Every structure is written in structure tokens, then in C-alpha cells.
Amino acid sequence: MSHKGLTKAVAYFRTSSETNVGEDKDSLKRQREAVARYAKAAGYEIVDEYSDDGVKGADPVNERPGFAAMMERIASNGVRTIIVETASRFARDLIIQETGWRMLREAGVTLIAADSPEAFLDDTPTAVMIRQILGAVSQFEKAMLVAKLRGARERKKRETGKCGGRQSYAERSPEMVALAKKLARYPVNGRKRSLREISAELASSGFLAASGEPFHAAAVARMIERKA
């Protein structure tokens, strides 16, 4: 529903990691809340949202599908304002940020960063310097975070011999693995239980695969191995 007196705008979101993509993920929630909060305070009506998922901040804006779709809509409906959470959400790379902003300006489109509304509105030497400083700080913070995460992964690998990847059954449910080994160890009616029988016993005890079905025989075999 359109509100009289409000300037129409579209919101643009970007997530660089596929693991942080989705309605329930923190990145999209944070971006949407920041844009909505700014729009409400500044008198804008968000009439549409566009996002590029799994797109790096250094990827040229004209190569992003979500951005391209947004520009098509802007060209057809008269909206001339784009609101992003931060300048780095638009583009983290300084050159991409500046060239993308200038492309929009030449098309008559205003780009606004919710956290620093003046960041893209001026083209004075001071404004350009501020954008570059903010972009450089963002790049530095991103590089520091990547370095910290890499260091943590390497430290964990040295300490445990593994890092990341899928957890073993023992890590996910030690009680389930203990029961599987117990069932494999003790015979019934003078014979060893088959893997399918162990799977059925696990299911009756409430241990099921992620699909909600009993475990396949191969999965049970991995559980009862020494290093399951």
C-alpha cells in the first residue's frame, strides 16, 4: 500500500557467503532492519527489495543478477532511490564502490547508505575521501575477520586433527553410537544382529536419520567402527 507524502525507494541487500543466505539468517535480518529503520525515520517508502546472495563485495555491480533486476525495475517505474545498509553492502572494493555509485548518479539514481546517509550524496573532495576511508576500514575489518577465522581453524586442526566438515556420529550423538556398538557386540538368540536389525533397534529407541527414517546399513556400519 502506497503512503502519500513518502518518497518511494527500493532496498538492496547483499550477502557474500552462501552459508549466511536465507530469511532466517542474521545478515539479511540485520540489513532489512537497518534499511527499514532509516526509511521510516527519513520519510521513505520501501516499495521493493532486491538481493544478491553469495556475491562478493568486490564483484562489479553490473554483473550481479539481483542488482540488474533492480535496475530494470527502476527504469520502468520511476523510483529513483536505492537504500543499502552500509556502503560496503553496496560494494566493499573501493573502485567498484566508486564506479558503481557514479554509474547510478549518471542514471539519475540516488544511493543512500542507512548507517551514513551523506556518504553517497556529495561529490566534494571531502566526501570522496570519507567514502574511501570508510571503505578502507571495511576492507581492513573484513581482512582481519578472515585472518582470525583462518587462525582459529588452523589452531583447531592442530589440536584435534580435524576442522570443519561433517561431524562424526559419535560427535553428534555419543549415546546413539554407544547403543549401536552395544547391540553389535551382544548376540541375540545365539547370533550377531545384522546391520538392519541394529538400525531397527536404534529407531525404536528414537534414533533416526535426518530424513526421519531408520539409518541405512552403511551408516550403522560407520557407527560401530572404532573411530565412528
Side-chain angles (χ1 to χ4, degrees):
M1 180 177 178
S2 181
H3 300 278
K4 292 183 178 179
L6 298 181
T7 301
K8 292 182 173 60
V10 295
Y12 176 67
F13 311 123
R14 181 184 62 78
T15 52
S16 57
S17 172
E18 291 286 0
T19 59
N20 207 20
V21 170
E23 292 290 329
D24 60 332
K25 300 299 184 180
D26 290 340
S27 178
L28 182 58
K29 283 183 179 179
R30 187 194 67 245
Q31 292 181 64
R32 179 174 284 130
E33 288 172 0
V35 169
R37 188 165 52 247
Y38 170 79
K40 182 178 180 180
Y44 288 94
E45 177 191 358
I46 302 299
V47 296
D48 217 336
E49 297 179 347
Y50 294 87
S51 65
D52 278 303
D53 302 330
V55 170
K56 303 299 182 184
D59 291 350
V61 294
N62 60 349
E63 295 179 7
R64 305 175 186 178
F67 189 86
M70 178 177 64
M71 293 305 292
E72 286 181 12
R73 190 192 196 288
I74 286 175
S76 65
N77 71 0
V79 173
R80 287 294 178 267
T81 303
I82 300 171
I83 304 177
V84 295
E85 179 199 18
T86 66
S88 64
R89 276 299 126 198
F90 174 62
R92 192 176 297 277
D93 182 272
L94 290 178
I95 295 177
I96 300 300
Q97 191 179 107
E98 282 294 309
T99 55
W101 170 70
R102 290 180 185 280
M103 178 193 74
L104 291 175
R105 188 187 63 170
E106 291 171 3
V109 178
T110 300
L111 177 66
I112 300 176
D115 71 325
S116 181
E118 302 300 318
F120 290 111
L121 298 185
D122 296 322
D123 195 23
T124 64
T126 300
V128 172
M129 180 186 70
I130 290 173
R131 282 199 299 272
Q132 291 175 342
I133 291 173
L134 291 174
V137 170
S138 178
Q139 283 183 309
F140 175 75
E141 290 177 343
K142 175 72 172 181
M144 288 296 293
L145 177 61
V146 170
K148 286 180 180 178
L149 291 174
R150 184 187 301 115
R153 289 195 298 268
E154 291 175 352
R155 183 165 58 253
K156 182 178 180 181
K157 188 172 183 179
R158 288 195 301 270
E159 293 172 353
T160 66
K162 63 182 295 185
C163 177
R166 193 172 182 177
Q167 288 182 313
S168 68
Y169 289 114
E171 291 172 321
R172 279 180 272 171
S173 179
E175 297 85 358
M176 176 181 70
V177 171
L179 177 58
K181 289 185 175 183
K182 181 178 178 180
L183 293 170
R185 189 179 307 118
Y186 296 106
V188 59
N189 296 328
R191 66 176 180 79
K192 290 183 65 176
R193 291 179 173 86
S194 69
L195 296 175
R196 293 186 181 278
E197 287 174 328
I198 295 174
S199 174
E201 292 275 2
L202 291 174
S204 67
S205 297
F207 296 113
L208 298 168
S211 63
E213 300 293 326
F215 285 98
H216 292 298
V220 175
R222 288 197 297 273
M223 290 182 204
I224 62 179
E225 290 175 356
R226 181 172 298 178
K227 295 182 179 180

